[in-house]
Amino acid sequence: MLHGPLAGKIFAFSLPLVASGVLQQSFNAVDVAVVGRYATTQAIAGVGSNGPIISILVNLFLGIAVGANAVIANCLGAKDDDAVRRSVSTVAVVTVVSGLVLTALGYILARPILEAMSAPADVIDLAEAYLKIYFLGMPFMMVYNFGSAIMRSVGDTAKPFWSLLIATICNLALDVTFISMFRSGVEAVAWATVLSNGINAALMVGFLMHEKEPVRLRMTHWRVSRRYLGRMLRVGVPAGLQGMVFSMSNIFIQSAINGFGSAAVAGSAAALTFECYCYYIVTAFCAATIAFSGQNYGAGQYDRCRRTFGICMLYSVVLCGVCNLLIAWRQEACVSIYTTDPEAMRYAFTRIRTVLVFQSMASSYEIAGAYMRSFGWSVLPMVLTIFGTCVLRLGWVAVFARVEDTFRNLLLIYPVSWGITGVLVLTAAAVVSRRVFRRAPGATAT
């Protein structure tokens, strides 16, 4: 990461991350597809409408994983092996605690959040059953996410991909097996996901225990370093809070979608899976920005930080945009994977044409925010993103009933908020990077 051309290395680093993101999303997407083939539209809605709820509870800890990635990358760039060991040890403890906390929160809050979202009466019991079982696998999911954050810091994105590929194949096989055996669609796919996440976690722990020093995981040396925990939290908590508030705004939009009935919920859930697939292209290059820029910032190579930002932004916009348009072009074939209900498909097509085709715009604020986090600035992108996306979306939902109350008009806020937020965060990134690099001693251009 510290020497030679960047474009090829960034692409090689990010491609397994994109594939890993697709596989991670496939856990839920496979559940939706299998239930769609073997059960009812209500069951599809029960499984597919839970994304915002899972996100709001999980994102704080995923943000801390981003903080861990940035801190370990900085320490590696500075060649401080002791700091890397202390950081990895701290991450191990945080992983266990966060997984247990999420399991408890998910089990307790599943029903209240669904009721607050006005989930349709014919969906809510199914959704609650799925969520309560799903959250039993949170400790496993946290092991994978924090473990992959450690590996990204040293440039290894291949092992997390292979781990996830094996787990995804297991999930598909268990989905079909459990549904055919027990004939209880929602509960069957939830248990399949929990067991597959367990396999994924076991593989990740095995990889980390055989990594080279200083990032090797040693089960007998788990300690919390207050210093490095504080650094992770300073970067990670704002990123996590941003994700949580972002998910809250999506919950309000999901509540409005629920008002259109179970066909709208099912159709929106089907289209949303493709948005999630494409969004992993963006998040992969966010991770590349943090890893490459973080190491080069630690090494004092600020020109390489700037070049990393430009390359990651270009890759993200182009590749995400191409995938968005390809899915929109073949929308009928794509949506039919999840549902063949004509009414649900109509809602899915509306979401694809209104939201998905503009999704690459989100690269502007996501990559710029990751760039600032790579050298420790996390609060500013959080504040700007919360205002530009969340506040605007909540405001739109509040006035939505006063304008033409259609499904398409509800969804228009997504491209509008992406554009406004992009302008805000890109401007902030330009100002902050100039200030940080000007103040830092020993700058080099290589």
Side-chain angles (χ1 to χ4, degrees), residues 110-149:
R111 185 79 181 196
I113 295 177
L114 286 166
E115 290 175 345
M117 291 172 60
S118 303
D122 57 348
V123 171
I124 190 168
D125 290 335
L126 295 171
E128 180 188 9
Y130 180 83
L131 275 177
K132 285 188 172 181
I133 299 171
Y134 183 94
F135 271 93
L136 293 176
M138 274 299 141
F140 303 137
M141 188 178 293
M142 289 299 102
V143 168
Y144 173 78
N145 283 292
F146 277 93
S148 61

Side-chain angles (χ1 to χ4, degrees), residues 8 14 31-32 57 70 113 121 138 161 179 190 252 254 272 313 372 387 392-393 398 410-411:
S14 302
D31 291 349
V32 174
L57 295 176
I113 295 177
M138 274 299 141
F161 164 73
I179 283 186
F252 280 94
Q254 182 65 47
L272 182 60
M313 181 68 75
M372 286 188 274
F387 172 77
L392 288 177
R393 290 177 188 179
L410 172 64
L411 298 177

Side-chain angles (χ1 to χ4, degrees), residues 32 41 44-45 48 254 257 261-275 335 338-339 341-352 407 411:
V32 174
T41 297
I44 301 173
Q254 182 65 47
I257 291 172
S262 58
V265 176
S268 180
L272 182 60
T273 59
F274 295 103
E275 293 172 32
V335 173
Y338 300 101
T339 180
D341 182 328
E343 188 69 3
M345 293 183 74
R346 182 177 67 83
Y347 281 108
F349 297 158
T350 299
R351 177 156 190 150
I352 288 172
F407 188 70
L411 298 177

Side-chain angles (χ1 to χ4, degrees), residues 217-236:
L217 178 65
R218 296 182 178 273
M219 304 296 285
T220 58
H221 291 76
W222 288 17
R223 304 282 190 279
V224 174
S225 168
R226 295 174 63 183
R227 176 185 179 186
Y228 295 105
L229 177 61
R231 288 178 62 182
M232 291 175 196
L233 295 178
R234 281 195 294 274
V235 176

Side-chain angles (χ1 to χ4, degrees), residues 220-301:
T220 58
H221 291 76
W222 288 17
R223 304 282 190 279
V224 174
S225 168
R226 295 174 63 183
R227 176 185 179 186
Y228 295 105
L229 177 61
R231 288 178 62 182
M232 291 175 196
L233 295 178
R234 281 195 294 274
V235 176
V237 169
L241 290 175
Q242 172 186 315
M244 288 180 70
V245 177
F246 192 86
S247 297
M248 286 180 64
S249 70
N250 287 337
I251 280 181
F252 280 94
I253 294 176
Q254 182 65 47
S255 299
I257 291 172
N258 290 345
F260 289 93
S262 58
V265 176
S268 180
L272 182 60
T273 59
F274 295 103
E275 293 172 32
C276 293
Y277 279 131
C278 294
Y279 214 78
Y280 277 111
I281 296 172
V282 180
T283 58
F285 288 105
C286 285
T289 302
I290 290 175
F292 279 78
S293 183
Q295 278 208 27
N296 281 285
Y297 177 70
Q301 300 182 154

Side-chain angles (χ1 to χ4, degrees), residues 318-338:
V318 172
L319 295 178
C320 182
V322 169
C323 289
N324 294 157
L325 294 176
L326 285 175
I327 292 168
W329 176 48
R330 304 297 296 171
Q331 62 179 8
E332 186 169 351
C334 291
V335 173
S336 65
I337 296 171
Y338 300 101

Side-chain angles (χ1 to χ4, degrees), residues 51-311:
I53 300 174
I54 294 169
S55 295
I56 194 173
L57 295 176
V58 170
N59 272 337
L60 175 61
F61 297 101
L62 294 186
I64 297 173
V66 170
N69 189 355
V71 170
I72 295 173
N74 288 164
C75 295
L76 287 167
K79 302 187 184 303
D80 189 342
D81 288 355
D82 182 64
V84 175
R85 292 188 187 95
R86 291 175 181 270
S87 298
V88 170
S89 176
T90 301
V91 168
V93 177
V94 171
T95 300
V96 173
V97 173
S98 62
L100 295 175
V101 169
L102 281 169
T103 295
L105 288 175
Y107 195 86
I108 293 169
L109 297 178
R111 185 79 181 196
I113 295 177
L114 286 166
E115 290 175 345
M117 291 172 60
S118 303
D122 57 348
V123 171
I124 190 168
D125 290 335
L126 295 171
E128 180 188 9
Y130 180 83
L131 275 177
K132 285 188 172 181
I133 299 171
Y134 183 94
F135 271 93
L136 293 176
M138 274 299 141
F140 303 137
M141 188 178 293
M142 289 299 102
V143 168
Y144 173 78
N145 283 292
F146 277 93
S148 61
I150 294 171
M151 290 187 171
R152 286 197 302 268
S153 303
V154 297
D156 187 351
T157 55
K159 290 188 185 75
F161 164 73
W162 290 114
S163 173
L164 202 54
L165 177 61
I166 293 169
T168 303
I169 294 171
C170 292
N171 187 45
L172 175 59
L174 290 171
D175 273 348
V176 176
T177 301
F178 285 2
I179 283 186
S180 62
M181 287 175 60
F182 304 116
R183 303 294 179 184
S184 55
V186 170
E187 294 88 348
V189 296
W191 280 115
T193 297
V194 170
L195 293 175
S196 301
N197 276 323
I199 294 170
N200 196 19
L203 291 169
M204 183 59 63
V205 170
F207 288 144
L208 288 170
M209 291 178 67
H210 291 87
E211 278 292 307
K212 295 179 181 179
E213 294 289 354
V215 297
R216 178 179 294 175
L217 178 65
R218 296 182 178 273
M219 304 296 285
T220 58
H221 291 76
W222 288 17
R223 304 282 190 279
V224 174
S225 168
R226 295 174 63 183
R227 176 185 179 186
Y228 295 105
L229 177 61
R231 288 178 62 182
M232 291 175 196
L233 295 178
R234 281 195 294 274
V235 176
V237 169
L241 290 175
Q242 172 186 315
M244 288 180 70
V245 177
F246 192 86
S247 297
M248 286 180 64
S249 70
N250 287 337
I251 280 181
F252 280 94
I253 294 176
Q254 182 65 47
S255 299
I257 291 172
N258 290 345
F260 289 93
S262 58
V265 176
S268 180
L272 182 60
T273 59
F274 295 103
E275 293 172 32
C276 293
Y277 279 131
C278 294
Y279 214 78
Y280 277 111
I281 296 172
V282 180
T283 58
F285 288 105
C286 285
T289 302
I290 290 175
F292 279 78
S293 183
Q295 278 208 27
N296 281 285
Y297 177 70
Q301 300 182 154
Y302 308 123
D303 183 59
R304 289 178 70 84
C305 295
R306 297 186 186 96
R307 282 190 279 151
T308 293
F309 172 65
I311 292 166

